[in-house]
Amino acid sequence: MNIKEVLINKNEIQLAIEQIAKKMNSDYAESEEVVFVIILKGAIVFASDLMRKINFPIILDFISATSYGSSTKTSGVVKILKDLDFPIEGKDVVIIEDIVDTGLTLSYLKNILVSRHPKSLKICTLLDKYSRRKIELVVDYVGIRIPDKFVVGYGLDWNEKYRYLPNISIVG
């Protein structure tokens, strides 16, 4: 796999993050504390930049799941690799994801977290590949909608490669 072209440059990424943060800062202005559940590994870069623009108290926790393995296409089978460290019952929770495409993995994770009785649960993603959605899923905060291309960079990978790239690029 090689980089074909840059789809979203680092300035466009930062602008999208600023817009998400502005909406979150408004939505959670009165909140005592919000738990950011960051989906590893891809969302860590996005989450790091996002939380620097947040004006309300947050707690970080992490969950890791996969439906890809080393493929560029989802298997449809979700596997939890790492669960949360802290209880979320009665708390405002925002799932932070790097990209939503079919929605299957995120829907699975959302159902698991809802069963733990948070006060509220919202979903935030930097990238939305809406054309691939296979399941109805409300994404509360969306940075950028992208076409049905396999992308890497800014935390997103192919077989653990390309996460370090500052832009989001199409591979093939």
Side-chain angles (χ1 to χ4, degrees), residues 14-170:
Q14 292 308 310
L15 182 61
I17 292 169
E18 287 173 18
Q19 293 302 313
I20 291 170
K22 183 178 178 182
K23 184 164 178 7
M24 280 186 168
N25 285 330
S26 173
D27 290 353
Y28 291 106
E30 304 299 319
S31 292
E32 290 182 28
E33 188 173 74
V34 177
V35 179
F36 275 14
V37 174
I38 301 165
I39 300 181
L40 296 174
K41 299 177 187 173
I44 193 70
V45 177
F46 167 48
S48 295
D49 283 349
L50 176 63
M51 67 184 175
R52 288 187 197 104
K53 297 180 180 353
I54 294 301
N55 297 331
F56 52 86
I58 60 171
I59 291 176
L60 299 180
D61 207 343
F62 302 90
I63 195 164
S64 181
T66 186
S67 65
Y68 280 84
S70 63
S71 176
T72 61
K73 299 225 184 306
T74 181
S75 68
V77 177
V78 179
K79 180 180 175 185
I80 300 274
L81 304 174
K82 185 225 172 286
D83 206 341
L84 299 179
D85 292 327
F86 305 106
I88 59 170
E89 184 172 348
K91 299 185 184 282
D92 290 315
V93 176
V94 179
I95 300 171
I96 308 292
E97 177 64 296
D98 54 0
I99 185 169
V100 179
D101 56 16
T102 65
L104 295 171
T105 301
L106 200 49
S107 178
Y108 179 82
L109 291 176
K110 181 181 178 186
N111 289 337
I112 287 172
L113 297 181
V114 164
S115 74
R116 297 175 187 181
H117 308 290
K119 177 180 174 184
S120 69
L121 181 67
K122 293 189 176 183
I123 297 172
C124 173
T125 188
L126 176 60
L127 303 176
D128 187 5
K129 200 183 295 183
Y130 188 78
S131 66
R132 296 220 345 115
R133 198 78 86 247
K134 291 186 176 179
I135 189 167
E136 184 65 32
L137 181 70
V138 174
V139 181
D140 304 280
Y141 305 99
V142 175
I144 303 167
R145 282 207 171 163
I146 64 168
D148 185 11
K149 303 287 182 186
F150 194 81
V151 293
V152 296
Y154 196 73
L156 291 99
D157 75 305
W158 172 76
N159 206 19
E160 294 301 322
K161 295 179 175 91
Y162 303 114
R163 287 189 198 279
Y164 65 92
L165 296 173
N167 303 308
I168 295 170
S169 299
I170 297 171

